[in-house]
Amino acid sequence: VLGHLTEQVRSVETGSSPLRQQHQERDNVARVATGWDIFDNLLGGGLCRGRVHEWFGVCGSGVIQGQPWKPPLAVLSHCVQRSLEHGVAIWFGRSVWPYARLLSDRARRLSLFVDVGNCPSHINGKLIWAIDMALRSDWASVVIADGRGLSMKVSRRLQLAAEQGSGLCLLARSPKEYGMLSAASTRWRVSWCQSEEYGPRWRIELMHMKGFGIHSVKKTQSCVVEGCPNEAHSLRVVA
């Protein structure tokens, strides 16, 4: 045991430890910049490719009590716009299909919209299989899906699939599910904000992050974004 520990100490001193090599590999993971500096700096450059990122749907003062859950379509569309360096975007579920004006002409041409019906995602085995296959494909630059009801087991499966395909996985989830366990690398909460100027605003909060060169969030980080007057397909930080 002492001999093994001695070898480990020497490897650390010489800079050849497996742990250091692992950190170097994590730092080299491709990322998609959000354009929101507070988060890009915190995440080491942006959202990691080959990872699952969960977005908990719009909640707060802008949602009438009893009104159905609404995914943050504007925020998801913004991330998709920035992730389409190559390949296509695949949208699973009508609930996450964006309004046409939220996407540029190029993004619409590179988008594939999959109608999965009204069956909840957690009991729709075919849907999980389809998302899994899309994430493993080299053609999918980003996969967006209705992730309501997904279990820890399924989220881990999607995480492994995303790692193999090196794409970006964005899951929209109900705010009521934040307490559920998940293998997602980052978890975000989106809520409405009042605006007296240009248009709708949203508060984006980074609630949790883990793995690949980044540390767990010690306190919630947030910013307020709104649509750009001169660029209809992106969101800028205003507070």
Side-chain angles (χ1 to χ4, degrees), residues 208-230:
H208 177 76
M209 64 180 184
K210 61 182 178 182
F212 275 70
I214 54 181
H215 307 286
S216 297
V217 177
K218 296 181 180 179
K219 63 178 181 179
T220 301
Q221 300 292 331
S222 66
C223 71
V224 176
V225 300
E226 71 175 11
C228 300
N230 299 323

Side-chain angles (χ1 to χ4, degrees), residues 28-208:
N28 292 330
V29 172
R31 289 176 167 83
V32 175
T34 65
W36 309 320
D37 291 343
I38 184 175
F39 297 136
D40 288 339
N41 294 335
L42 193 62
L43 296 170
L47 299 173
C48 287
R49 286 194 176 275
R51 297 291 176 269
V52 172
H53 305 277
E54 293 183 337
W55 301 81
F56 289 82
V58 176
C59 58
S61 61
V63 177
I64 302 175
Q65 186 174 6
Q67 189 177 15
W69 161 78
K70 290 183 178 296
L73 298 180
V75 175
L76 291 174
S77 298
H78 171 90
C79 294
V80 169
Q81 299 276 153
R82 289 182 158 267
S83 64
L84 282 175
E85 299 172 358
H86 64 277
V88 299
I90 306 178
W91 307 74
F92 287 95
R94 285 182 172 271
S95 60
V96 297
W97 290 5
Y99 304 110
R101 61 182 177 82
L102 293 178
L103 296 178
S104 65
D105 292 339
R106 177 177 178 272
R108 286 195 294 271
R109 290 195 305 268
L110 294 176
S111 289
L112 175 64
F113 301 97
V114 183
D115 189 353
V116 298
N118 297 321
C119 185
S121 58
H122 68 287
I123 62 174
N124 190 337
K126 292 182 179 179
L127 170 59
I128 300 304
W129 175 86
I131 297 174
D132 184 293
M133 291 296 101
L135 288 172
R136 294 177 188 275
S137 170
D138 293 335
W139 289 97
S141 180
V142 55
V143 174
I144 314 92
D146 181 345
R148 286 176 294 173
L150 293 184
S151 65
M152 176 64 171
K153 179 180 179 180
V154 172
S155 70
R156 186 180 293 114
R157 173 181 173 180
L158 297 183
Q159 173 62 48
L160 293 174
E163 289 179 13
Q164 182 172 337
S166 298
L168 196 66
C169 180
L170 307 178
L171 296 181
R173 303 196 63 169
S174 167
K176 296 180 180 179
E177 297 178 354
Y178 182 73
M180 298 177 63
L181 295 178
S182 170
S185 290
T186 62
R187 309 186 89 183
W188 307 75
R189 184 165 61 191
V190 180
S191 56
W192 296 104
C193 277
Q194 293 183 349
S195 173
E196 298 178 355
E197 299 179 0
Y198 174 69
R201 289 184 176 184
W202 297 268
R203 178 175 297 280
I204 302 175
E205 300 173 272
L206 177 56
M207 307 298 294
H208 177 76

